[in-house]
């Protein structure tokens, strides 16, 4: 009666922890969504577009203005040369872009390598596309690319490697050496790389971000995915974009035309305005988010959490080993919600086997007030618990 893949999956951890936070009145630092960062010109552009119309199906590939803006933004920030007409597709969020890509490029029995900890949508969509998920693990504290394990994981059936850079939940930015190692593998084994780069603009401390699409030798082997939800702090809008060579984009567009066909035109028009905002918008976003990161990381450390440095994304990951004698990150997140009134998400949800239960993830893309209140709650909870701050 029920499809075996979706029949096996439960409710996503982001949804279930958000529900728990709402039910209990806890501060929700679980699901990754920002609070109060939406740029006014983007919202005004959406309002205007809704007033003006049109309200009917836009072109299947996306509004020309948005596709041009995607290419322009990639040139401006990453020096990528993209032909907006043949190399850009607009989708309903990065999630749809991922689904379209897997449905278009995979066949029964193909294998796809993903790096754990990994965003939860990949595995289910890959399986639904008929392929097998082959996880390769990055391990704390340095989360380096495990080159040997990666090479070993490649077989004659491997078709794709999915690379999320900057990486949810750990904030890792793949460096040029790692990208060139991946590129060599893609060429040697005739693979395609799906580059989920939704956090491309959320990189802190003037660190550089390099897109896989910018590695010349594999330009025609990379499907680059972006999300307006992240770049403009409007996660509910679900506007995403795919950039790839025309040869790869055509089958992906064919999948797109049977998954959603198009994306709301007013939101596309507004995102086109967003992508063409002056450099200041993007640098201010990085600076403000970077400051919120500092606030949360400092507060968590003061409250006795062992938090790693965060180069990018919305997320700080804490090793709860010393705080969680039960070794169960999900139970720990529930406990923190009920007892402290602060909700993180368990990092075990980012592992297929759910067996790494030592870390939890907090989202810092919030107002200063939200972060300070959350920290105060955690501090009081720790005092009550009598835990000593990690030295
Ligand atoms: N990829 C990653 C790594 C993400 O964290 C998210 C978070 N939502 C997505 C894709 C999905 O993006 P969207 O909301 O645009 O579908
Ligand atoms: N990407 C978001 C996160 O990691 C969640 C998206 C979702 O809720 N599906 O928190």
């Amino acid at each position: 009666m029920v499809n075996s893949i979706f029949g096996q999956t439960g409710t996503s951890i982001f949804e279930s922890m958000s529900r728990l936070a709402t039910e209990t009145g806890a501060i929700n630092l679980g699901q990754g969504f920002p609070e109060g960062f939406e740029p006014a010109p983007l919202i005004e552009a959406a309002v205007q577009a809704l007033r003006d119309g049109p309200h009917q199906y836009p072109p299947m590939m996306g509004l020309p203005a948005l596709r041009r803006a995607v290419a322009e933004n990639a040139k401006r920030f990453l020096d990528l040369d993209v032909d907006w007409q043949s190399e850009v597709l607009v989708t309903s969020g990065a999630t749809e872009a991922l689904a379209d890509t897997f449905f278009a490029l995979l066949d029964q029995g193909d294998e796809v390598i993903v790096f754990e900890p990994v965003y939860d949508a990949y595995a289910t969509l890959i399986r639904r596309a008929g392929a097998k998920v082959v996880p390769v693990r990055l391990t704390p504290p340095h989360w380096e690319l495990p080159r040997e394990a990666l090479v070993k994981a490649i077989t004659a059936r491997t078709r794709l490697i999915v690379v999320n850079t900057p990486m949810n939940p750990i904030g890792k930015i793949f460096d040029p050496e790692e990208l060139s190692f991946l590129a060599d593998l893609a060429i040697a084994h005739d693979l395609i790389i799906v580059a989920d780069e939704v956090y491309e603009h959320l990189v802190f401390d003037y660190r550089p971000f390099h897109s896989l699409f910018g590695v010349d030798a594999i330009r025609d082997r990379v499907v680059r995915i972006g999300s307006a939800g992240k770049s403009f702090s409007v996660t509910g809008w679900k506007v995403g974009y795919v950039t790839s060579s025309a040869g790869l984009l055509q089958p992906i567009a064919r999948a797109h035309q049977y998954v959603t066909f198009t994306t709301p035109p007013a939101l596309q028009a507004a995102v086109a305005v967003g992508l063409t905002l002056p450099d200041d918008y993007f640098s201010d976003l990085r600076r403000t988010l970077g400051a919120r990161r500092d606030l949360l990381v400092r507060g968590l450390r003061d409250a006795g959490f062992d938090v790693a440095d965060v180069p990018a994304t919305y997320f700080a990951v804490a090793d709860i080993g010393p705080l969680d004698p039960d070794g169960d990150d999900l139970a720990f997140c529930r406990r923190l919600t009920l007892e402290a009134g602060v909700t993180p998400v368990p990092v075990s949800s980012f592992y297929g086997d759910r067996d790494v239960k030592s870390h939890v993830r907090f989202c810092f893309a919030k107002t200063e007030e939200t972060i300070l209140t959350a920290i105060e709650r955690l501090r009081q909870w720790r005092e009550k618990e009598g835990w000593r701050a990690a030295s």
Side-chain angles (χ1 to χ4, degrees), residues 140 318-321 324 327 329 347-348 355-360:
D319 181 346
I320 52 162
D324 178 32
D329 60 345
V347 170
S348 59
D355 57 330
V356 179
K357 297 171 188 254
S358 50
H359 289 70
V360 300

Side-chain angles (χ1 to χ4, degrees), residues 306-328:
D306 179 4
V307 186
D309 289 340
V310 185
T313 75
Y314 287 152
F315 310 116
V317 166
D319 181 346
I320 52 162
L323 304 183
D324 178 32
D326 303 332
D328 182 343

Side-chain angles (χ1 to χ4, degrees), residues 12 14-15 30-33 119-120 168 199 230 315 350 361:
S12 121
F14 307 113
E15 174 70 15
Q31 189 175 32
F33 61 87
Y119 182 54
D120 70 344
N168 179 9
Y199 296 102
K230 316 292 177 198
F315 310 116
F350 293 77
R361 190 194 80 176

Side-chain angles (χ1 to χ4, degrees), residues 164-173 198-204 230 286 289-290 293 310-317 361-365:
N164 176 210
T165 178
M167 187 168 169
N168 179 9
I170 56 174
K172 174 186 173 71
I173 308 168
V198 299
Y199 296 102
E200 63 186 310
H201 284 296
L202 312 183
V203 172
F204 312 126
K230 316 292 177 198
R286 285 169 206 236
L289 261 184
R293 176 227 24 207
V310 185
T313 75
Y314 287 152
F315 310 116
V317 166
R361 190 194 80 176
F362 296 90
C363 175
F364 52 76

